[in-house]
Amino acid sequence: MSVEDLLTAFRDRLAVPWRSDEAAAGRVWMLWYDKALERRVRGRLAEFRLAAEQAGKGWHEFDLAPEFGKWVATQTWFERAAKRPATLGTVLPDFEERLIHELRNRLSHCGPNDILALTGAASLFGLMRVSTLIGKVADAIPGRLLVTFPGTHQAGIYRLLDARDGWSYLAVPIPSSPTA
């Protein structure tokens, strides 16, 4: 699977008319690909934006990668935690809550004809589950949420970075089926 193949599959998905009564899970598009392609996909995200715009869709982006660092650096306990990183697990629910709030805020600025591209899902590894984040915001998606997902998808099971137990989610997979 190449980035060109992903772009073709994305364009094909854009050609399917959007239903205004689509269930929350159907408003989530999982652009899944081999983890080795992460930099290439991120580097060519503008081509996905262009494809969306050519299809008459609005485009917004939210990169998750810097969010934990920005959040933890503002915490009063940061210096102490840096010396004892094992204690970070006790504050991760606070980070999760803040990230959910921020993503819901970003979605509130989107309309029913917009795509919010969510990049940097791999940066959440070990901090929170992508499935938790999606599940907590799915009801707030007015258009579509495109999650760039370095991992695998097979029989409805998604595995981030091929390393975690997978989760079953009814999102629309792009591409729609694994290649052999």
Side-chain angles (χ1 to χ4, degrees):
M1 179 74 50
S2 68
V3 177
E4 288 77 21
D5 295 330
L6 292 170
L7 275 162
T8 298
F10 180 65
R11 286 184 188 103
D12 291 347
R13 173 51 49 189
L14 285 168
V16 176
W18 290 9
R19 292 182 26 206
S20 60
D21 63 344
E22 186 75 55
R27 292 174 187 258
V28 178
W29 292 356
M30 300 290 286
L31 181 72
W32 65 274
Y33 45 88
D34 187 276
K35 61 189 175 193
L37 291 176
E38 174 70 359
R39 285 182 160 179
R40 289 185 191 124
V41 169
R42 287 173 70 86
R44 295 182 61 186
L45 200 59
E47 294 177 59
F48 288 88
R49 176 183 47 80
L50 181 61
E53 290 171 348
Q54 288 173 338
K57 306 301 180 188
W59 182 267
H60 304 267
E61 293 178 25
F62 181 32
D63 186 1
L64 299 171
E67 293 302 307
F68 182 73
K70 289 189 317 191
W71 175 77
V72 79
T74 64
Q75 304 303 310
T76 57
W77 46 258
F78 174 68
E79 293 296 326
R80 290 187 311 274
K83 294 175 186 168
R84 299 175 69 202
T87 63
L88 279 177
T90 62
V91 297
L92 289 181
D94 294 339
F95 170 67
E96 187 175 299
E97 183 178 312
R98 187 212 142 305
L99 192 58
I100 290 165
H101 174 77
E102 180 61 27
L103 181 51
R104 287 178 85 74
N105 180 51
R106 301 281 181 116
L107 287 166
S108 74
H109 291 94
C110 295
N113 200 41
D114 291 340
I115 296 170
L116 175 61
L118 190 63
T119 60
S123 68
L124 297 181
F125 189 79
L127 299 173
M128 75 178 290
R129 291 185 174 265
V130 175
S131 59
T132 299
L133 181 61
I134 293 170
K136 298 282 185 170
V137 303
D139 65 325
I141 302 169
R144 298 297 180 266
L145 177 67
L146 175 69
V147 181
T148 62
F149 191 83
T152 60
H153 170 260
Q154 190 169 23
I157 305 293
Y158 293 90
R159 295 182 194 282
L160 180 64
L161 300 174
D162 310 335
R164 268 225 165 126
D165 290 340
W167 89 93
S168 179
Y169 194 71
L170 299 175
V172 175
I174 303 172
S176 60
S177 62
T179 57

